[in-house]
Amino acid sequence: MAGDPLSRLTQGIVVMVAVGFFVASVVATVRNHDGLVYQLSAVVVLLLLLGFQIMHAGPWRLERLWWPWSLFAHGVLTYLPFLVFDGSWVGIPGSFAGSVLLTVAAPRSWILFGALAAGQYPLCAALDGNFGQCVNAVVSTVVGGIVVYGVARLADLTAELRAARTELAERAVDQERLRFARDLHDLLGYSLSVAALKCQLAQRLALEDPARARAEMSEVLVMVRQAMSDARWISSGDLQMSLARESRSAVAALRAAGISADADLDCGVLRLELDAVLATVVREAVTNMLRHSVPGHCEIRADRDERGTVRLVVSNDGVPADGGPAEPGGGRGLENLTERLLAVGGRLTAERDDSGWFHLSAVVEASSAPKASVRAAREAGSERASSAA
């Protein structure tokens, strides 16, 4: 923070303003009186006041614990010299008024600031000042205090802005790291689960049906290559997923594993963001099913009501082999899905009914989905045909 050029600039301005007040005060005080002792005394007191001003407003501020005592000493050094330097000292309290604004909590600081400014008039009048001189003393105190306060707050705001930008950058890095981990889990977890399932199937078929075992291993090779491609896309953040494509892939994988599966998608064309989120729900649901259940049948259903609400339900009749939780948040995968759906205004529920079926449901508003394109319509039509086969 201290090495930041903008921070150094604003802190330098604070110090230059304090030094400027010091020089102007020395000139005004020394010019009005002769005598070396008098002039040296004024310079010494003004140097002390300069130190207090920098301690209260500059980059090397005192800790708040010391502020009451330092502010008291600053006030004594500001007003006690009036007994010696009389009217030539009336412009000095401006820096003390600025220190009050910086060290005392609002609104008391502004009340005290107003009292200090107003008190300059009777103080100047007591020192035989005329009306113009007394008004000038009040104005000098107000302007001096505001300037000291303003430049110090400018430095503070610059430092706060720098800290906020650093925090935002760190959050962006954390969000990207979270996105990468989430996509890696959602995409590769599914591919590797299906690949492992096909490897087990090929192992069982190695002696009984070598030709089919080789075919299964060929599919495993394709899936592994696809997983490698997905991993490259994940790093770029440009991976696009489709509910229809993922549903077809899930049905094919489940049927290859000997699980009866079908899909019925009647939700129309979805905007890309929602399409990808619902595709992820299907992939995660199937991954959890293959890892934790022994299902005989799986159903994937998606529809849209007249209000534009899309509901996707992935159901299976398997009982979790490990007695895993049936509610969102029980595992990292369901937590990921919950976060994804919240980002698009949706919600996720998971429940097991009395008949032993497990249902993972995603509900989200899709009223802003774009009109169907020819390619999307063809994809939806081919999905329905595939599901009916």
Side-chain angles (χ1 to χ4, degrees):
M1 188 75 66
D4 179 60
L6 186 57
S7 297
R8 289 200 302 268
L9 175 62
T10 54
Q11 292 171 356
I13 291 174
V14 173
V15 175
M16 285 190 292
V17 168
V19 172
F21 268 110
F22 165 75
V23 173
S25 300
V26 168
V27 171
T29 305
V30 171
R31 184 181 59 186
N32 292 331
H33 284 274
D34 295 327
L36 183 62
V37 174
Y38 173 90
Q39 294 174 346
L40 288 178
S41 300
V43 170
V44 170
V45 174
L46 289 171
L47 277 173
L48 293 174
L49 290 176
L50 172 63
F52 278 111
Q53 183 178 345
I54 292 177
M55 285 191 295
H56 291 144
W60 309 283
R61 295 189 187 179
L62 288 172
E63 295 292 333
R64 289 180 178 270
L65 177 65
W66 297 100
W67 281 358
W69 305 104
S70 61
L71 191 63
F72 175 77
H74 194 175
V76 170
L77 279 176
T78 297
Y79 287 99
L80 191 60
F82 273 102
L83 299 175
V84 178
F85 302 115
D86 51 64
S88 62
W89 202 254
V90 292
I92 305 303
S95 65
F96 175 67
S99 295
V100 169
L101 288 178
L102 291 169
T103 58
V104 179
R108 287 188 301 164
S109 59
W110 291 101
I111 295 174
L112 290 174
F113 178 79
L116 290 173
Q120 282 296 101
Y121 190 94
L123 181 60
C124 177
L127 296 172
D128 298 328
N130 58 37
F131 175 79
Q133 292 173 331
C134 294
V135 171
N136 181 67
V138 173
V139 172
S140 297
T141 301
V142 171
V143 173
I146 293 296
V147 169
V148 170
Y149 174 76
V151 294
R153 287 298 296 143
L154 174 64
D156 292 343
L157 291 175
T158 302
E160 291 170 9
L161 177 60
R162 180 68 177 177
R165 292 166 110 181
T166 301
E167 183 180 356
L168 288 175
E170 292 174 352
R171 286 187 179 182
V173 172
D174 291 340
Q175 289 294 328
E176 179 62 16
R177 186 183 297 115
L178 182 61
R179 180 202 66 80
F180 185 86
R182 183 179 60 195
D183 289 348
L184 194 67
H185 175 277
D186 293 343
L187 294 175
L188 298 191
Y190 169 81
S191 301
L192 296 178
S193 295
V194 176
L197 189 64
K198 285 183 171 292
C199 286
Q200 293 173 359
L201 180 60
Q203 186 179 32
R204 291 197 301 268
L205 296 172
L207 298 177
E208 300 176 3
D209 192 348
R212 186 181 173 189
R214 286 193 296 272
E216 294 292 340
M217 291 306 299
S218 297
E219 292 184 12
V220 169
L221 181 59
V222 171
M223 295 196 69
V224 170
R225 286 174 176 169
Q226 181 61 43
M228 294 172 62
S229 176
D230 288 346
R232 287 192 294 270
W233 280 105
I234 288 172
S235 63
S236 67
D238 294 329
L239 183 64
Q240 294 294 336
M241 300 175 64
S242 163
L243 174 61
R245 186 167 57 248
E246 289 301 323
S247 297
R248 284 197 301 271
S249 176
V251 168
L254 291 170
R255 288 175 179 174
I259 301 172
S260 173
D262 63 88
D264 180 16
L265 305 182
D266 189 23
C267 55
V269 179
L270 305 172
R271 63 183 187 273
L272 292 178
E273 182 184 19
L274 179 56
D275 201 18
V277 170
L278 294 181
T280 306
V281 172
V282 171
R283 180 169 284 209
E284 179 62 28
V286 173
T287 301
N288 286 345
M289 185 194 316
L290 295 175
R291 285 178 176 175
H292 306 300
S293 304
V294 285
H297 185 72
C298 174
E299 296 178 353
I300 301 173
R301 301 281 183 265
D303 57 52
R304 188 200 307 242
D305 62 21
E306 63 278 2
R307 295 177 300 178
T309 301
V310 174
R311 180 181 177 86
L312 170 68
V313 182
V314 182
S315 307
N316 72 88
D317 61 351
V319 178
D322 58 357
E327 294 299 325
R332 184 65 250 179
L334 292 180
E335 288 180 3
N336 288 344
L337 293 183
T338 301
E339 292 171 1
R340 287 178 183 269
L341 283 165
L342 286 175
V344 294
R347 64 182 185 277
L348 183 75
T349 59
E351 59 184 2
R352 188 183 300 111
D353 61 23
D354 296 336
S355 61
W357 278 71
F358 183 82
H359 307 278
L360 186 68
S361 304
V363 180
V364 65
E365 296 291 335
S367 56
S368 59
K371 295 181 180 179
S373 63
V374 174
R375 183 175 63 84
R378 287 177 179 173
E379 185 177 25
S382 64
E383 167 57 29
R384 285 193 291 272
S386 174
S387 301

